[in-house]
Amino acid sequence: AAASGLNLTNIQGDILIVDVPSFKAQLKSGIAPLITSTFQLLPNTTDPADLFVNIAFSSSGLSKLGIANPDLGDNNLFQKGQFNGATNLGDLTSNWLPQFAGTSIHGVFLIASDTLDGVSATLSQVQSILGSSISESYRLQGQARPGDQQGHEHFGFMDGISNPAVNGFNTPHPGQALVNPGVILFGESGDPKSRPGSTGWAKDGSFLVFRQLAQRVPEFNKFLLDHAPSEANMTLEENAELLGARMIGRWKSGAPVAMSPLFDNLVIATNAQQNNNFDFSAPSDSSLCPVSSHIRKTNPRADFSKGNFPNHIIRAGIPYGPEVTDAENASNTSSTDPSLDRGLAFVAYQSDIDTGFETLQSDWANDPSFRRGYQYANNAVLQGADPIIGPNGVSRSPAGLDPSNLSGSITIMEDFVVSKGGEYFFSPPISAIQTTLSS
Ligand code: HEM
């Protein structure tokens, strides 16, 4: 489930603040009481909200509200905005939606609930409170996948299994990372940086990274069949499933390949005491789980450090867009009709964009040499970029995907996940919404 405990539907609306005094007045009296606190973002909270409303501001939005020069001490990434760092993330800015290109978005509302009615009613309420003090520049409607695919992303894999537990807020399941609260919340113990605002108005806020990541599902499925390994006693379809599982590092059910290397295992998948209980250390080569797999790239566990490193994020995204149509399936090609665009509305919280999302995307997922020369056996092999979220527009060669050829790699010439852009936002504590940002 999403960090809030809700993941069925959500709406995200990007806004421009057009009338600052009126916006501030409504923010204080009308919006502040609706906002879910950043503490409730933490996973496995004992007090999950049944409706979740968050407002977060970009750097240009904070400036508009009077925070001059909003340097929140994250290596300038927040201040520059996501668009200006897009190339470093491996994006092709030609794929970016025009609404995200530049730094014009001031803020974002995120409204999530278990029901579409709940989301719609809250959206109307927010709109009537803020009236013409804002204008909406973009809206993305999230939607959980139907039936037995609920909780699964569009490639078919269970998502939202692994998030860190936060010290003082929840107890980790076996194998789950335990991070200090400052890894997620600004200015709490373990915040990797000390910076402006972290002992004052911004304390207990969190950076919200938003990305609209389109997924090319028919192309992904075709790739799996075309490049399926040839394990003995397995059908082509089973070999294709195996390749997909090794690219992610988990089976579609969520069972980790590190614990069940050749077949899916529903017992492990659904048991929270088991489904994170692995650390890639025995053996540390790619025989069980490829070093290049998505979950090993983005959370290298014991490859990186036995201790709790600060490069953790809390993921709270949900899928958007409709199911694949029969015509798309038959042609192995995603439609270019924008109403059939589908993917992941990626949302991640962390106290530091540089230590969190940017490290995971740029320094780990995108870098073919990440984890070479550390603790796994085959030091000589370049492990390649993340086969799922590696850079767009360049071929990637993740190694070790074929269990019979661990030092070989498969070249992927196309993008299965296409970044359509996004923005960096700061999700302030409620106290700041009531005071600093609204007066
Ligand atoms: C885990 C899919 C984008 C970071 C996962 C899992 C799946 C998945 C299926 C396993 C379920 C789980 O452990 O919760 C995808 C897809 C993406 C995407 C389809 C794009 C459309 C990203 C991005 C990042 C990221 C952009 C960060 C840069 C992570 C992390 C984990 C994860 C940190 C947990 C790894 C662990 O702790 O074991 N993803 N993901 N993902 N993903 Fe992604």
Side-chain angles (χ1 to χ4, degrees), residues 74 77-79 193 195 207-209 313 350-360 423-426:
D74 68 329
L77 292 170
F78 174 67
Q79 231 173 342
K193 298 195 180 127
R195 48 195 153 190
F207 283 116
L208 184 172
V209 170
I313 57 178
Q350 61 258 276
S351 65
D352 193 76
I353 298 170
D354 188 26
T355 313
F357 167 72
E358 281 257 349
T359 294
L360 270 54
E423 186 50 290
Y424 295 145
F425 298 101
F426 184 68

PDB file of all heavy atoms in Angstrom, residues 74 77-79 193 195 207-209 313 350-360 423-426:
ATOM      1  N   ASP A  74      19.932  21.559  -0.307  1.00  0.00           N
ATOM      2  CA  ASP A  74      20.001  20.241  -0.943  1.00  0.00           C
ATOM      3  C   ASP A  74      20.800  20.318  -2.235  1.00  0.00           C
ATOM      4  O   ASP A  74      20.387  19.756  -3.255  1.00  0.00           O
ATOM      5  CB  ASP A  74      18.599  19.696  -1.207  1.00  0.00           C
ATOM      6  CG  ASP A  74      17.915  20.522  -2.267  1.00  0.00           C
ATOM      7  OD1 ASP A  74      18.224  21.722  -2.335  1.00  0.00           O
ATOM      8  OD2 ASP A  74      17.128  19.972  -3.044  1.00  0.00           O
ATOM      9  N   LEU A  77      19.390  21.523  -5.904  1.00  0.00           N
ATOM     10  CA  LEU A  77      18.506  20.782  -6.814  1.00  0.00           C
ATOM     11  C   LEU A  77      17.077  21.297  -6.745  1.00  0.00           C
ATOM     12  O   LEU A  77      16.403  21.455  -7.768  1.00  0.00           O
ATOM     13  CB  LEU A  77      18.517  19.291  -6.465  1.00  0.00           C
ATOM     14  CG  LEU A  77      19.838  18.584  -6.737  1.00  0.00           C
ATOM     15  CD1 LEU A  77      19.826  17.195  -6.127  1.00  0.00           C
ATOM     16  CD2 LEU A  77      20.099  18.521  -8.231  1.00  0.00           C
ATOM     17  N   PHE A  78      16.599  21.552  -5.525  1.00  0.00           N
ATOM     18  CA  PHE A  78      15.231  22.028  -5.346  1.00  0.00           C
ATOM     19  C   PHE A  78      15.080  23.402  -5.983  1.00  0.00           C
ATOM     20  O   PHE A  78      14.131  23.651  -6.730  1.00  0.00           O
ATOM     21  CB  PHE A  78      14.914  22.076  -3.846  1.00  0.00           C
ATOM     22  CG  PHE A  78      13.588  22.689  -3.516  1.00  0.00           C
ATOM     23  CD1 PHE A  78      12.409  22.063  -3.875  1.00  0.00           C
ATOM     24  CD2 PHE A  78      13.523  23.900  -2.824  1.00  0.00           C
ATOM     25  CE1 PHE A  78      11.172  22.625  -3.561  1.00  0.00           C
ATOM     26  CE2 PHE A  78      12.298  24.461  -2.498  1.00  0.00           C
ATOM     27  CZ  PHE A  78      11.129  23.828  -2.873  1.00  0.00           C
ATOM     28  N   GLN A  79      16.064  24.272  -5.712  1.00  0.00           N
ATOM     29  CA  GLN A  79      15.971  25.631  -6.222  1.00  0.00           C
ATOM     30  C   GLN A  79      15.985  25.680  -7.749  1.00  0.00           C
ATOM     31  O   GLN A  79      15.281  26.465  -8.370  1.00  0.00           O
ATOM     32  CB  GLN A  79      17.128  26.446  -5.672  1.00  0.00           C
ATOM     33  CG  GLN A  79      16.659  27.726  -5.056  1.00  0.00           C
ATOM     34  CD  GLN A  79      17.787  28.456  -4.359  1.00  0.00           C
ATOM     35  OE1 GLN A  79      18.830  27.870  -4.056  1.00  0.00           O
ATOM     36  NE2 GLN A  79      17.572  29.718  -4.102  1.00  0.00           N
ATOM     37  N   LYS A 193      21.814  16.571   6.390  1.00  0.00           N
ATOM     38  CA  LYS A 193      22.391  17.919   6.291  1.00  0.00           C
ATOM     39  C   LYS A 193      21.772  18.854   7.327  1.00  0.00           C
ATOM     40  O   LYS A 193      20.642  18.655   7.757  1.00  0.00           O
ATOM     41  CB  LYS A 193      22.125  18.483   4.896  1.00  0.00           C
ATOM     42  CG  LYS A 193      22.783  17.632   3.822  1.00  0.00           C
ATOM     43  CD  LYS A 193      22.862  18.313   2.490  1.00  0.00           C
ATOM     44  CE  LYS A 193      23.538  17.357   1.498  1.00  0.00           C
ATOM     45  NZ  LYS A 193      22.745  17.151   0.292  1.00  0.00           N
ATOM     46  N   ARG A 195      20.695  22.782   7.608  1.00  0.00           N
ATOM     47  CA  ARG A 195      20.433  23.797   6.580  1.00  0.00           C
ATOM     48  C   ARG A 195      19.391  24.790   7.034  1.00  0.00           C
ATOM     49  O   ARG A 195      18.724  24.591   8.044  1.00  0.00           O
ATOM     50  CB  ARG A 195      19.951  23.113   5.329  1.00  0.00           C
ATOM     51  CG  ARG A 195      18.852  22.110   5.696  1.00  0.00           C
ATOM     52  CD  ARG A 195      18.606  21.199   4.600  1.00  0.00           C
ATOM     53  NE  ARG A 195      18.105  19.921   5.061  1.00  0.00           N
ATOM     54  CZ  ARG A 195      17.996  18.893   4.273  1.00  0.00           C
ATOM     55  NH1 ARG A 195      18.379  18.982   3.028  1.00  0.00           N
ATOM     56  NH2 ARG A 195      17.518  17.775   4.714  1.00  0.00           N
ATOM     57  N   PHE A 207      10.743  16.662   1.345  1.00  0.00           N
ATOM     58  CA  PHE A 207      10.705  16.904  -0.097  1.00  0.00           C
ATOM     59  C   PHE A 207       9.854  15.840  -0.778  1.00  0.00           C
ATOM     60  O   PHE A 207      10.004  14.641  -0.505  1.00  0.00           O
ATOM     61  CB  PHE A 207      12.110  16.866  -0.708  1.00  0.00           C
ATOM     62  CG  PHE A 207      12.916  18.111  -0.467  1.00  0.00           C
ATOM     63  CD1 PHE A 207      14.079  18.059   0.288  1.00  0.00           C
ATOM     64  CD2 PHE A 207      12.525  19.333  -1.002  1.00  0.00           C
ATOM     65  CE1 PHE A 207      14.841  19.197   0.510  1.00  0.00           C
ATOM     66  CE2 PHE A 207      13.284  20.482  -0.791  1.00  0.00           C
ATOM     67  CZ  PHE A 207      14.436  20.412  -0.032  1.00  0.00           C
ATOM     68  N   LEU A 208       9.006  16.300  -1.666  1.00  0.00           N
ATOM     69  CA  LEU A 208       8.151  15.400  -2.440  1.00  0.00           C
ATOM     70  C   LEU A 208       8.668  15.438  -3.892  1.00  0.00           C
ATOM     71  O   LEU A 208       8.627  16.489  -4.532  1.00  0.00           O
ATOM     72  CB  LEU A 208       6.700  15.910  -2.372  1.00  0.00           C
ATOM     73  CG  LEU A 208       5.548  15.149  -2.995  1.00  0.00           C
ATOM     74  CD1 LEU A 208       4.222  15.804  -2.582  1.00  0.00           C
ATOM     75  CD2 LEU A 208       5.583  15.039  -4.492  1.00  0.00           C
ATOM     76  N   VAL A 209       9.174  14.323  -4.348  1.00  0.00           N
ATOM     77  CA  VAL A 209       9.608  14.237  -5.751  1.00  0.00           C
ATOM     78  C   VAL A 209       8.461  13.635  -6.544  1.00  0.00           C
ATOM     79  O   VAL A 209       7.972  12.555  -6.224  1.00  0.00           O
ATOM     80  CB  VAL A 209      10.853  13.334  -5.885  1.00  0.00           C
ATOM     81  CG1 VAL A 209      11.164  13.041  -7.357  1.00  0.00           C
ATOM     82  CG2 VAL A 209      12.053  13.978  -5.215  1.00  0.00           C
ATOM     83  N   ILE A 313      14.150   6.351   0.419  1.00  0.00           N
ATOM     84  CA  ILE A 313      13.005   7.205   0.130  1.00  0.00           C
ATOM     85  C   ILE A 313      11.752   6.440   0.562  1.00  0.00           C
ATOM     86  O   ILE A 313      11.784   5.215   0.656  1.00  0.00           O
ATOM     87  CB  ILE A 313      12.913   7.538  -1.381  1.00  0.00           C
ATOM     88  CG1 ILE A 313      12.830   6.250  -2.233  1.00  0.00           C
ATOM     89  CG2 ILE A 313      14.117   8.372  -1.816  1.00  0.00           C
ATOM     90  CD1 ILE A 313      12.695   6.478  -3.739  1.00  0.00           C
ATOM     91  N   GLN A 350      11.501  12.320   1.001  1.00  0.00           N
ATOM     92  CA  GLN A 350      12.815  12.229   1.629  1.00  0.00           C
ATOM     93  C   GLN A 350      13.183  13.616   2.150  1.00  0.00           C
ATOM     94  O   GLN A 350      12.649  14.611   1.675  1.00  0.00           O
ATOM     95  CB  GLN A 350      13.890  11.761   0.630  1.00  0.00           C
ATOM     96  CG  GLN A 350      14.071  12.724  -0.560  1.00  0.00           C
ATOM     97  CD  GLN A 350      13.397  12.238  -1.818  1.00  0.00           C
ATOM     98  OE1 GLN A 350      13.945  11.458  -2.533  1.00  0.00           O
ATOM     99  NE2 GLN A 350      12.169  12.710  -2.081  1.00  0.00           N
ATOM    100  N   SER A 351      14.138  13.642   3.110  1.00  0.00           N
ATOM    101  CA  SER A 351      14.524  14.950   3.643  1.00  0.00           C
ATOM    102  C   SER A 351      15.528  15.638   2.738  1.00  0.00           C
ATOM    103  O   SER A 351      15.775  16.829   2.881  1.00  0.00           O
ATOM    104  CB  SER A 351      15.112  14.795   5.048  1.00  0.00           C
ATOM    105  OG  SER A 351      16.317  14.052   4.969  1.00  0.00           O
ATOM    106  N   ASP A 352      16.109  14.903   1.811  1.00  0.00           N
ATOM    107  CA  ASP A 352      17.157  15.482   0.976  1.00  0.00           C
ATOM    108  C   ASP A 352      17.079  14.867  -0.419  1.00  0.00           C
ATOM    109  O   ASP A 352      17.291  13.660  -0.579  1.00  0.00           O
ATOM    110  CB  ASP A 352      18.515  15.192   1.620  1.00  0.00           C
ATOM    111  CG  ASP A 352      19.607  16.013   0.983  1.00  0.00           C
ATOM    112  OD1 ASP A 352      19.678  17.225   1.282  1.00  0.00           O
ATOM    113  OD2 ASP A 352      20.370  15.469   0.169  1.00  0.00           O
ATOM    114  N   ILE A 353      16.768  15.687  -1.413  1.00  0.00           N
ATOM    115  CA  ILE A 353      16.579  15.159  -2.771  1.00  0.00           C
ATOM    116  C   ILE A 353      17.873  14.554  -3.308  1.00  0.00           C
ATOM    117  O   ILE A 353      17.883  13.536  -3.996  1.00  0.00           O
ATOM    118  CB  ILE A 353      16.086  16.278  -3.722  1.00  0.00           C
ATOM    119  CG1 ILE A 353      14.728  16.812  -3.261  1.00  0.00           C
ATOM    120  CG2 ILE A 353      15.978  15.770  -5.159  1.00  0.00           C
ATOM    121  CD1 ILE A 353      14.284  18.071  -3.977  1.00  0.00           C
ATOM    122  N   ASP A 354      18.990  15.202  -2.934  1.00  0.00           N
ATOM    123  CA  ASP A 354      20.288  14.764  -3.432  1.00  0.00           C
ATOM    124  C   ASP A 354      20.656  13.376  -2.882  1.00  0.00           C
ATOM    125  O   ASP A 354      21.025  12.471  -3.630  1.00  0.00           O
ATOM    126  CB  ASP A 354      21.321  15.813  -3.008  1.00  0.00           C
ATOM    127  CG  ASP A 354      22.675  15.573  -3.621  1.00  0.00           C
ATOM    128  OD1 ASP A 354      22.744  14.962  -4.697  1.00  0.00           O
ATOM    129  OD2 ASP A 354      23.670  16.006  -3.017  1.00  0.00           O
ATOM    130  N   THR A 355      20.490  13.202  -1.569  1.00  0.00           N
ATOM    131  CA  THR A 355      20.815  11.914  -0.944  1.00  0.00           C
ATOM    132  C   THR A 355      19.791  10.850  -1.308  1.00  0.00           C
ATOM    133  O   THR A 355      20.111   9.669  -1.400  1.00  0.00           O
ATOM    134  CB  THR A 355      20.837  12.077   0.603  1.00  0.00           C
ATOM    135  OG1 THR A 355      21.592  13.225   0.924  1.00  0.00           O
ATOM    136  CG2 THR A 355      21.421  10.863   1.282  1.00  0.00           C
ATOM    137  N   GLY A 356      18.552  11.264  -1.530  1.00  0.00           N
ATOM    138  CA  GLY A 356      17.478  10.333  -1.821  1.00  0.00           C
ATOM    139  C   GLY A 356      17.307  10.090  -3.315  1.00  0.00           C
ATOM    140  O   GLY A 356      18.155   9.463  -3.960  1.00  0.00           O
ATOM    141  N   PHE A 357      16.227  10.613  -3.886  1.00  0.00           N
ATOM    142  CA  PHE A 357      15.861  10.301  -5.262  1.00  0.00           C
ATOM    143  C   PHE A 357      17.005  10.466  -6.268  1.00  0.00           C
ATOM    144  O   PHE A 357      17.230   9.593  -7.115  1.00  0.00           O
ATOM    145  CB  PHE A 357      14.656  11.164  -5.698  1.00  0.00           C
ATOM    146  CG  PHE A 357      14.418  11.127  -7.176  1.00  0.00           C
ATOM    147  CD1 PHE A 357      13.907   9.979  -7.776  1.00  0.00           C
ATOM    148  CD2 PHE A 357      14.748  12.209  -7.974  1.00  0.00           C
ATOM    149  CE1 PHE A 357      13.720   9.916  -9.151  1.00  0.00           C
ATOM    150  CE2 PHE A 357      14.561  12.155  -9.349  1.00  0.00           C
ATOM    151  CZ  PHE A 357      14.050  11.009  -9.937  1.00  0.00           C
ATOM    152  N   GLU A 358      17.743  11.585  -6.177  1.00  0.00           N
ATOM    153  CA  GLU A 358      18.775  11.830  -7.191  1.00  0.00           C
ATOM    154  C   GLU A 358      19.900  10.792  -7.148  1.00  0.00           C
ATOM    155  O   GLU A 358      20.407  10.383  -8.190  1.00  0.00           O
ATOM    156  CB  GLU A 358      19.384  13.234  -7.009  1.00  0.00           C
ATOM    157  CG  GLU A 358      18.519  14.320  -7.554  1.00  0.00           C
ATOM    158  CD  GLU A 358      19.027  14.857  -8.894  1.00  0.00           C
ATOM    159  OE1 GLU A 358      20.149  14.539  -9.322  1.00  0.00           O
ATOM    160  OE2 GLU A 358      18.266  15.630  -9.514  1.00  0.00           O
ATOM    161  N   THR A 359      20.270  10.384  -5.962  1.00  0.00           N
ATOM    162  CA  THR A 359      21.303   9.348  -5.854  1.00  0.00           C
ATOM    163  C   THR A 359      20.782   8.052  -6.457  1.00  0.00           C
ATOM    164  O   THR A 359      21.467   7.394  -7.251  1.00  0.00           O
ATOM    165  CB  THR A 359      21.730   9.142  -4.386  1.00  0.00           C
ATOM    166  OG1 THR A 359      22.368  10.323  -3.929  1.00  0.00           O
ATOM    167  CG2 THR A 359      22.680   7.959  -4.236  1.00  0.00           C
ATOM    168  N   LEU A 360      19.546   7.687  -6.119  1.00  0.00           N
ATOM    169  CA  LEU A 360      18.995   6.425  -6.609  1.00  0.00           C
ATOM    170  C   LEU A 360      18.894   6.430  -8.134  1.00  0.00           C
ATOM    171  O   LEU A 360      19.229   5.444  -8.801  1.00  0.00           O
ATOM    172  CB  LEU A 360      17.599   6.189  -6.013  1.00  0.00           C
ATOM    173  CG  LEU A 360      17.532   5.422  -4.695  1.00  0.00           C
ATOM    174  CD1 LEU A 360      18.407   6.018  -3.619  1.00  0.00           C
ATOM    175  CD2 LEU A 360      16.094   5.321  -4.204  1.00  0.00           C
ATOM    176  N   GLU A 423       8.319  17.495 -11.041  1.00  0.00           N
ATOM    177  CA  GLU A 423       8.846  18.661 -10.328  1.00  0.00           C
ATOM    178  C   GLU A 423       9.253  18.229  -8.921  1.00  0.00           C
ATOM    179  O   GLU A 423       8.834  17.181  -8.434  1.00  0.00           O
ATOM    180  CB  GLU A 423       7.789  19.785 -10.298  1.00  0.00           C
ATOM    181  CG  GLU A 423       8.240  21.118  -9.721  1.00  0.00           C
ATOM    182  CD  GLU A 423       9.556  21.671 -10.294  1.00  0.00           C
ATOM    183  OE1 GLU A 423      10.643  21.074 -10.010  1.00  0.00           O
ATOM    184  OE2 GLU A 423       9.523  22.693 -10.996  1.00  0.00           O
ATOM    185  N   TYR A 424      10.109  19.040  -8.333  1.00  0.00           N
ATOM    186  CA  TYR A 424      10.484  18.865  -6.931  1.00  0.00           C
ATOM    187  C   TYR A 424       9.656  19.823  -6.083  1.00  0.00           C
ATOM    188  O   TYR A 424       9.579  21.017  -6.395  1.00  0.00           O
ATOM    189  CB  TYR A 424      11.971  19.187  -6.723  1.00  0.00           C
ATOM    190  CG  TYR A 424      12.911  18.239  -7.442  1.00  0.00           C
ATOM    191  CD1 TYR A 424      14.102  18.695  -7.986  1.00  0.00           C
ATOM    192  CD2 TYR A 424      12.601  16.888  -7.558  1.00  0.00           C
ATOM    193  CE1 TYR A 424      14.975  17.829  -8.636  1.00  0.00           C
ATOM    194  CE2 TYR A 424      13.474  16.017  -8.206  1.00  0.00           C
ATOM    195  CZ  TYR A 424      14.656  16.502  -8.745  1.00  0.00           C
ATOM    196  OH  TYR A 424      15.512  15.641  -9.383  1.00  0.00           O
ATOM    197  N   PHE A 425       9.056  19.285  -5.036  1.00  0.00           N
ATOM    198  CA  PHE A 425       8.223  20.101  -4.166  1.00  0.00           C
ATOM    199  C   PHE A 425       8.686  19.932  -2.722  1.00  0.00           C
ATOM    200  O   PHE A 425       9.280  18.913  -2.364  1.00  0.00           O
ATOM    201  CB  PHE A 425       6.759  19.654  -4.248  1.00  0.00           C
ATOM    202  CG  PHE A 425       6.152  19.798  -5.628  1.00  0.00           C
ATOM    203  CD1 PHE A 425       6.030  18.683  -6.460  1.00  0.00           C
ATOM    204  CD2 PHE A 425       5.708  21.030  -6.084  1.00  0.00           C
ATOM    205  CE1 PHE A 425       5.471  18.802  -7.732  1.00  0.00           C
ATOM    206  CE2 PHE A 425       5.136  21.152  -7.353  1.00  0.00           C
ATOM    207  CZ  PHE A 425       5.020  20.046  -8.179  1.00  0.00           C
ATOM    208  N   PHE A 426       8.361  20.938  -1.906  1.00  0.00           N
ATOM    209  CA  PHE A 426       8.584  20.803  -0.467  1.00  0.00           C
ATOM    210  C   PHE A 426       7.235  20.725   0.211  1.00  0.00           C
ATOM    211  O   PHE A 426       6.393  21.598   0.036  1.00  0.00           O
ATOM    212  CB  PHE A 426       9.398  21.985   0.083  1.00  0.00           C
ATOM    213  CG  PHE A 426       9.725  21.837   1.540  1.00  0.00           C
ATOM    214  CD1 PHE A 426      10.606  20.850   1.972  1.00  0.00           C
ATOM    215  CD2 PHE A 426       9.134  22.653   2.492  1.00  0.00           C
ATOM    216  CE1 PHE A 426      10.894  20.683   3.322  1.00  0.00           C
ATOM    217  CE2 PHE A 426       9.418  22.500   3.844  1.00  0.00           C
ATOM    218  CZ  PHE A 426      10.304  21.510   4.253  1.00  0.00           C
TER     219      PHE A 426
END
